[in-house]
Amino acid sequence: MTTMQRLFGTFGVRGVANKELTPNLALELGQALAINLGGGGRVAIGRDNRTSGEMLEQALVAGLNAGGCDVLKPGLTPTPVLSFATRHFSCDAGVMITASHNPAEYNGIKFWDNEGAGFQRDRENQIERIISKGFKKVVWHKIGRVEEADALSPYMDAVLKRVPKFDRGLKVVVDCANAVGNLVTPKLLAELGCRVVSINSQLDGTFPGRKLETVPENLGELAKIVVGCKADLGVAQDGDGDRTIIVDERGEIISGDRVFALVTLHYLRGRNKPKILTTVATSAVLDDVASKLGGEVVRTRVGEPELIAEFRRGGGDIAGEENGGVIFPDWLLCRDGIMTAIQFIEALEKTNLKTSELNLTLPTYFQVKLRVKCPNEMKQKVLNRLAKKFSGYQIDHKDGLRINFEDGWLLLRPSGTEPIFRCFAEATTGERARELAALGIKELKTATRRGS
Ligand code: MG
């Protein structure tokens, strides 16, 4: 490749397998990573259970070996387990082959550093530059080797060492969507003392059970089963197990930012002035949690790498996103949906409340999430116009515009991956949230139209 369009999106390389994400590209990425590591060292490679996973793994392994790196292969793992394995086995880097919540035809490749955190943008840029320049391969006796490894057992052992057994014997329905979360989450929850019912528990890379994204419209079956079998809660994970959403005992879905908030409240209780890292897209309920804890909220741009960068810059006790991805930095520098589920249940254990009652311990907010089409090349122009339009308000400019009102906020943010603008509104009543969203959509449409 000579002229490069950016390979990496907001986090890693993502595309339809064998179309955008080919074995050739995986091979190049493997070779480029080997060069980035100085032509040696050891790399852990994990993958989710998509049908294209093994093909891409083989190409990556070949690229890394050809560039002089040894490869450790945990094989099928959730993403947090790959992050854990990279650090646990003292590897110089990790690679996770996953497209997270995207449909079965997609796949993706994400790089991890030796501390188990995703590569930052500057390191991704280094990889891109290496690919655009071409490679030198190592001499035959420096070609790397391949070794299999079990990462699931050490991960589970480490969790069990860290988390005390539960007493309540809560009944939990776990839905990992026929994906790799099934390798760990149901087993660990059972080991910790929950009564576990698993649905969509067989691994199937075509994901026949449900769509992988943990949003309410995909979780109807889980909600029904939680109510039907009188369970205390439901746990839903995305395709690579780095995100968790909870369903309460009445079948109501608890959104990602509330799961994050409830976990934070109980995980950080007792810490001195804790610092909560989150993004501009997350609910004000995090501010309520911070004031209960006597701590503070630091908001960043959207995306896991942004949270990690902020953690490394200024520290923090927990970090999380509105989609239900939570990072426990004293555990892993990676979103961990398994630990999130465990800590949510730990909060139920500590409070002895029902799931719906626990949810009610925090103020209720109403959210509306919409999108408007906008060609990529127009995004900056539209953003400038919106900034002008809302210049009388208190605005956070970190990532798009977060416009703060007395009784809510409105986020107008260009997507980093799709030709759209996102419009999120939150307020203390549903009516006000809809009103703010309507205002956002109206201004977005006006700003988009004028420029075309
Ligand atoms: Mg994911």
Side-chain angles (χ1 to χ4, degrees):
M1 276 188 230
T2 43
T3 46
M4 290 279 301
Q5 86 229 50
R6 253 191 84 76
L7 283 174
F8 292 86
T10 25
F11 197 8
V13 179
R14 185 94 40 108
V16 173
N18 256 0
K19 203 170 150 209
E20 291 112 7
L21 187 45
T22 60
N24 306 44
L25 178 56
L27 184 82
E28 288 192 309
L29 286 165
Q31 285 176 289
L33 178 59
I35 290 168
N36 185 253
L37 293 171
R42 199 160 61 133
V43 177
I45 299 186
R47 62 183 161 91
D48 70 18
N49 58 314
R50 284 160 205 278
T51 49
S52 58
E54 208 157 9
M55 170 189 83
L56 294 171
E57 183 188 71
Q58 288 174 18
L60 264 164
V61 170
L64 281 160
N65 285 167
C69 284
D70 292 333
V71 170
L72 193 73
K73 279 203 321 182
L76 293 173
T77 58
T79 292
V81 176
L82 185 272
S83 159
F84 174 88
T86 303
R87 208 183 53 193
H88 179 78
F89 295 112
S90 306
C91 292
D92 301 286
V95 183
M96 184 69 197
I97 304 167
T98 178
S100 187
H101 60 277
N102 289 125
E105 63 269 29
Y106 284 81
N107 216 328
I109 293 175
K110 284 195 326 195
F111 293 135
W112 306 86
D113 66 22
N114 59 352
E115 292 181 332
F119 271 18
Q120 294 287 320
R121 170 107 342 156
D122 57 342
R123 193 120 183 241
E124 291 183 341
N125 289 343
Q126 290 171 13
I127 298 284
E128 293 206 358
R129 274 199 297 276
I130 295 168
I131 292 183
S132 66
K133 275 198 247 150
F135 324 96
K136 262 203 307 206
K137 293 179 184 66
V138 297
V139 292
W140 69 270
H141 57 89
K142 288 196 175 153
I143 291 169
R145 293 157 195 243
V146 184
E147 200 187 324
E148 313 269 329
D150 169 23
L152 301 174
S153 314
Y155 175 91
M156 289 197 263
D157 291 344
V159 170
L160 292 171
K161 229 191 234 167
R162 205 181 152 83
V163 181
K165 290 241 162 146
F166 302 142
D167 298 322
R168 290 178 69 186
L170 294 171
K171 189 168 180 183
V172 187
V173 183
V174 178
D175 179 357
C176 294
N178 303 101
V180 281
N182 283 303
L183 297 169
V184 180
T185 310
K187 283 182 202 164
L188 261 183
L189 294 184
E191 287 260 359
L192 285 166
C194 294
R195 291 175 295 144
V196 174
V197 177
S198 271
I199 65 169
N200 299 321
S201 59
Q202 267 160 304
L203 294 199
D204 183 332
T206 65
F207 310 115
R210 68 158 164 90
K211 288 187 183 159
L212 296 172
E213 188 155 25
T214 47
V215 289
E217 54 268 36
N218 297 339
L219 303 178
E221 189 192 22
L222 172 64
K224 252 188 235 156
I225 293 172
V226 167
V227 175
C229 73
K230 296 193 166 57
D232 296 290
L233 71 155
V235 165
Q237 289 183 341
D238 71 335
D240 63 329
D242 63 349
R243 293 201 233 157
T244 283
I245 293 288
I246 300 291
V247 176
D248 76 14
E249 78 284 356
R250 303 167 314 172
E252 299 286 325
I253 284 149
I254 304 180
S255 70
D257 29 22
R258 289 190 78 84
V259 171
F260 171 40
L262 290 163
V263 163
T264 298
L265 182 61
H266 296 277
Y267 191 72
L268 299 188
R269 190 147 266 167
R271 291 200 198 187
N272 184 31
K273 294 187 185 147
K275 198 194 265 188
I276 302 164
L277 310 182
T278 191
T279 78
V280 293
T282 311
S283 171
V285 77
L286 268 308
D287 302 299
D288 300 317
V289 168
S291 65
K292 274 179 194 257
L293 293 168
E296 61 165 324
V297 176
V298 176
R299 291 190 190 268
T300 69
R301 291 171 61 86
V302 170
E304 180 173 352
E306 303 288 343
L307 292 172
I308 294 292
E310 180 57 39
F311 171 75
R312 284 178 169 160
R313 219 173 6 243
D317 293 273
I318 200 164
E321 295 173 273
E322 46 90 29
N323 59 20
V326 183
I327 300 165
F328 304 87
D330 50 5
W331 162 240
L332 280 183
L333 291 181
C334 170
R335 293 189 294 210
D336 188 340
I338 303 154
M339 189 53 93
T340 305
I342 289 170
Q343 292 304 328
F344 190 93
I345 296 168
E346 178 72 11
L348 289 171
E349 293 278 328
K350 281 180 186 159
T351 56
N352 215 21
L353 295 171
K354 284 185 185 171
T355 308
S356 61
E357 292 168 347
L358 181 71
N359 191 19
L360 285 174
T361 59
L362 290 175
T364 305
Y365 292 93
F366 296 83
Q367 293 182 337
V368 178
K369 297 186 177 183
L370 301 167
R371 44 167 64 192
V372 169
K373 277 193 190 136
C374 176
N376 289 334
E377 62 276 11
M378 269 193 67
K379 283 175 174 169
Q380 192 52 48
K381 216 186 220 177
V382 170
L383 204 55
N384 295 344
R385 285 177 183 157
L386 290 168
K388 231 185 202 169
K389 180 78 205 172
F390 287 102
S391 59
Y393 295 87
Q394 197 234 319
I395 295 181
D396 183 336
H397 287 275
K398 241 170 260 128
D399 198 351
L401 298 179
R402 179 167 161 138
I403 306 138
N404 292 308
F405 300 85
E406 222 147 80
D407 51 356
W409 54 269
L410 175 64
L411 177 71
L412 305 173
R413 192 179 77 83
S415 160
T417 47
E418 296 166 78
I420 56 163
F421 250 83
R422 295 187 193 282
C423 170
F424 288 6
E426 183 184 76
T428 45
T429 66
E431 198 192 338
R432 179 66 174 146
R434 284 190 295 276
E435 200 178 290
L436 289 177
L439 172 69
I441 292 291
K442 189 185 116 210
E443 294 304 340
L444 265 171
K445 284 189 172 158
T446 311
T448 314
R449 217 178 298 129
R450 272 204 305 149
S452 51

